[in-house]
Amino acid sequence: MSSNENSNDRPITVGVIDDDPMICQAMRLILEDYSAGRLNVVFTCTDGSQAIDETSGHHPDVALMDIAMPGMDGIETTRRLRALPRPPHVLILTSLSPSGTVERAIEAGAEGFVSKTDAPEEIIRRITDVCVGLPQFNPASQRQLINDLNTQQPQSRRDEARAMLDALPEREREAVVLAAEGFTNAEIAERMFISERTVKAHISSAADKLRMGRVQMARLVERADLPERL
């Protein structure tokens, strides 16, 4: 951002991007009427391509970005704005419905979220605070990010556990899975058509490779949530 960004002698410049012209007009009125001259809306537009052109020309300090737009959506537009030589801060202007929206927006370079239904003073505060490097997450965006992470974490842990088991030789893996399912060494030997001594060797070798004891390996199999065998 420019060196004037934190200066008190000029307003913070803002671009508003939303596919609904009424939202653009309402945001312009809110930001300019309630900010007592602290904010200046330098452009509004209704699609991503125009947003890139307007931002390149006006160099706003902050872009308020809708997500659901025809053609280039708000996340891709955010990514392109943040790649400009003089990138604006981007606050997502949204009602946050699709799962994954928050995480995808952050990955694209957004620094926070503003609800279209937030009070004017709250929207203005978020715009001024993001300019001094404070990420802006309203309660709705915080809840969604936590929900998304909680949804993804078990899947990530499952995939990691499956990869660890898949790295074992097939017969060792089979012995470990059967042991985790509660079968004794004798029962495993019978099912695998091998001796108990070989079962012990398979499980011991797998334990060395995984650096785990028998109980830990059972937990690993549980976490892997393997498909049921026919």
Side-chain angles (χ1 to χ4, degrees):
M1 301 306 325
S2 68
S3 60
N4 290 332
E5 178 175 282
N6 297 321
S7 172
N8 292 324
D9 61 2
R10 68 181 273 279
I12 293 169
T13 54
V14 182
V16 180
I17 303 103
D18 194 293
D19 68 339
D20 185 343
M22 296 295 289
I23 295 290
C24 290
Q25 184 178 356
M27 278 293 153
R28 180 190 287 274
L29 291 172
I30 287 171
L31 299 183
E32 295 188 338
D33 289 358
Y34 283 84
S35 69
R38 288 176 293 154
L39 303 183
N40 177 29
V41 177
V42 291
F43 73 84
T44 68
C45 63
T46 56
D47 68 72
S49 297
Q50 187 183 359
I52 295 166
D53 292 341
E54 295 281 3
T55 300
S56 298
H58 289 93
H59 307 295
D61 297 315
V62 180
L64 290 186
M65 178 75 66
D66 188 28
I67 284 199
M69 295 189 291
M72 189 189 307
D73 70 7
I75 290 176
E76 178 59 26
T77 306
T78 294
R79 186 175 289 109
R80 297 196 187 190
L81 292 190
R82 294 294 296 163
L84 292 173
R86 292 171 58 184
H89 298 285
V90 178
L91 292 175
I92 300 298
L93 183 64
T94 182
S95 53
L96 295 172
S97 48
S99 178
T101 295
V102 175
E103 187 177 14
R104 289 172 58 232
I106 293 169
E107 289 172 353
E111 295 172 73
F113 299 81
V114 174
S115 171
K116 297 173 185 179
T117 57
D118 282 344
E121 294 80 6
E122 182 71 8
I123 297 173
I124 290 165
R125 182 186 67 76
R126 292 191 184 283
I127 290 171
T128 56
D129 282 357
V130 80
C131 283
V132 293
L134 299 175
Q136 300 300 305
F137 292 91
N138 60 9
S141 63
Q142 288 176 336
R143 281 194 301 272
Q144 184 172 318
L145 184 57
I146 290 169
N147 289 340
D148 288 343
L149 290 174
N150 286 342
T151 299
Q152 292 165 13
Q153 187 179 32
Q155 182 175 340
S156 174
R157 286 171 57 79
R158 183 201 70 188
D159 292 346
E160 179 187 35
R162 288 184 179 184
M164 291 172 72
L165 290 171
D166 285 344
L168 296 173
E170 183 179 353
R171 298 294 274 174
E172 289 182 14
R173 178 180 183 275
E174 185 177 354
V176 166
V177 170
L178 288 171
E181 291 174 356
F183 292 100
T184 65
N185 286 354
E187 290 169 331
I188 295 171
E190 187 176 340
R191 292 176 71 100
M192 292 181 65
F193 305 104
I194 56 178
S195 68
E196 282 190 56
R197 184 175 179 179
T198 305
V199 171
K200 290 179 182 177
H202 282 334
I203 292 177
S204 176
S205 177
D208 288 343
K209 291 185 177 80
L210 296 170
R211 294 186 174 88
M212 292 181 177
R214 192 158 178 151
V215 173
Q216 288 174 300
M217 288 194 293
R219 293 293 302 275
L220 181 70
V221 172
E222 180 184 344
R223 199 165 79 226
D225 190 24
L226 299 171
E228 289 188 22
R229 288 171 296 175
L230 297 176

